[in-house]
Amino acid sequence: MKSVFKSSARVVIVGGGFAGASTAWWLRKFGETDSLILEREVGPGMQASGQNAAMARQATQDLFITRLLAEGVRFLATPPPEFRAPRPVLRRLGSALLGSDAQVGKLADVLRRAIPSDEFEIGPAANLATHPYLSGIPAPMALYTRSDGMVDLDALLSGFLRNTDVATSCAFLSAARDPDGWTVQTSRGDIRCYTLVIAAGAWGNLCGSGAGAGLRLLRPTTRHLFQSVRGKDFCRDAPFVWDTAAEVYVRPDGGGSLYMSACDQDDCDPSAPILPSNRIQEILRGKLARAFPALAAIRYHRYWVGTRTLSPDNRFVIGPDPRTAGLFWAAGLGGHGVTASPAIGRIAAQSILGLQDPPPELSPARFEK
Ligand SMILES: Cc1cc2nc3c(=O)[nH]c(=O)nc-3n(C[C@H](O)[C@H](O)[C@H](O)COP(=O)(O)OP(=O)(O)OC[C@H]3O[C@@H](n4cnc5c(N)ncnc54)[C@H](O)[C@@H]3O)c2cc1C
């Protein structure tokens, strides 16, 4: 990454999380080298992209999204030669999604249409009891996906941002369109550009309206993540385990403790500070007691809150704004923005460069009707 401020660029991207970083990487891969990311924080990836659980999970109930997640996982596991990360990005430790026969079977049906069948299998959840902290799980079945895993967030972000110009501590304020492009007003001065991309996560609506966009369809929500105290049983190489009925997950953090989430999802107002809520601790305790009895009394070391930004149909929002020329979106990544980032950036860059329209399932125009 090159930390710079410049007064003009062909493409200006607002937001240095995975949406913006991956878009810039793919723009360069497709030949557009003159882009600039604006990041309000002192460095990139300090909001949702640095506060998440870093799990690469492919099984969902939405085949369209699962295919993008599978594309993402293939990239993370075997990046193209021109993607240079300082370390391997994905540790393929696998995942176990717990549920009834029917719940697990439904997820497997979707997965079967997106990844090779030797990458996953259905089996008894009791197999997980080889890890003592996962003993006594009441869910009967598990979908074991061997090609899922844990992502090294810093390595992934560094890979995307290699050789990318990023203006840090630079807040986007507003943008005005004229026949030749945009004048973007920032906290560090004005910038001229042809194309403006909103990749500002939970702040997408605010930045979009600063550029005159009528679309305010993003729904920022909060999610808390807890880190346990260290335990000798919390195997570093265990898969992450997600109870799909109770909606709670646990995953080794690689350093001897566990990350855990109650999968909370409350609307939030990103124009105000986003603070953790004590209420979620009790919700997590209750869910752990139900789904992972051996963890019912686990002690927390710390916890924090991040944002997951949803769209009305829970699919990403990628492509041109239907009403404002020269304005593009790479937003609404929900709970999949790490795993799907390679696919998201590819689609955004192809759309910006006019190489390929975004799929109608992701295009912002789908909300115009
Ligand atoms: C607790 C939690 C757990 C999660 N777990 C997973 C997981 O296991 N796997 C997975 O795939 N995904 C997970 N996610 C989702 C994932 O983190 C997000 O989908 C992804 O990080 C969103 O990336 P983004 O670039 O859209 O947003 P962000 O990372 O929030 O980036 C937006 C950037 O825009 C900047 N910005 C905002 N306003 C301005 C402005 N005016 N000027 C300049 N810059 C601005 C912000 O500072 C920020 O850096 C999780 C999310 C949370 C909260």
Side-chain angles (χ1 to χ4, degrees), residues 104-344:
V104 164
K106 241 181 179 171
L107 290 168
D109 285 343
V110 174
L111 209 48
R112 194 165 291 122
R113 297 166 68 193
I115 68 173
S117 54
D118 61 356
E119 290 185 14
F120 66 95
E121 68 188 341
I122 292 178
N127 293 353
L128 291 164
T130 49
H131 303 290
Y133 68 93
L134 296 173
S135 60
I137 288 176
M141 299 305 288
L143 172 63
Y144 295 98
T145 307
R146 281 183 281 278
S147 50
D148 281 354
M150 293 352 154
V151 179
D152 182 326
L153 299 175
D154 288 339
L156 180 60
L157 199 63
S158 308
F160 281 141
L161 290 179
R162 213 179 139 90
N163 298 326
T164 299
D165 291 343
V166 184
T168 50
S169 304
C170 181
F172 167 89
L173 302 175
S174 65
R177 178 91 188 150
D178 60 54
D180 296 326
W182 292 94
T183 300
V184 180
Q185 212 195 351
T186 81
S187 57
R188 291 180 63 180
D190 287 0
I191 305 170
R192 285 289 300 171
C193 68
Y194 291 110
T195 302
L196 181 62
V197 184
I198 305 294
W203 298 269
N205 286 339
L206 295 170
C207 293
S209 51
L215 234 54
R216 284 183 69 89
L217 46 85
L218 300 171
R219 185 182 151 215
T221 67
T222 51
R223 175 153 298 181
H224 290 69
L225 208 54
F226 291 72
Q227 186 177 19
S228 76
V229 296
R230 287 178 184 212
K232 60 177 173 28
D233 289 337
F234 302 153
C235 171
R236 289 159 202 239
D237 296 332
F240 65 82
V241 187
W242 193 318
D243 188 308
T244 59
E247 300 224 295
V248 57
Y249 62 76
V250 299
R251 83 137 178 109
D253 75 344
S257 53
L258 293 177
Y259 286 154
M260 300 164 292
S261 174
C263 300
D264 48 301
Q265 182 173 293
D266 293 315
D267 289 344
C268 67
D269 173 7
S271 62
I274 297 168
L275 303 171
S277 153
N278 288 338
R279 185 176 61 86
I280 309 296
Q281 292 198 43
E282 285 317 304
I283 296 175
L284 178 64
R285 281 245 174 268
K287 288 189 173 191
L288 286 174
R290 277 209 306 286
F292 301 106
L295 295 174
I298 193 167
R299 285 189 299 124
Y300 313 131
H301 161 59
R302 62 182 186 128
Y303 67 103
W304 62 93
V305 63
T307 54
R308 292 161 78 255
T309 304
L310 310 174
S311 76
D313 60 8
N314 286 329
R315 286 177 170 170
F316 315 139
V317 181
I318 312 177
D321 186 279
R323 296 189 214 167
T324 312
L327 183 68
F328 287 76
W329 294 84
L333 276 45
H336 301 299
V338 178
T339 316
S341 57
I344 289 161

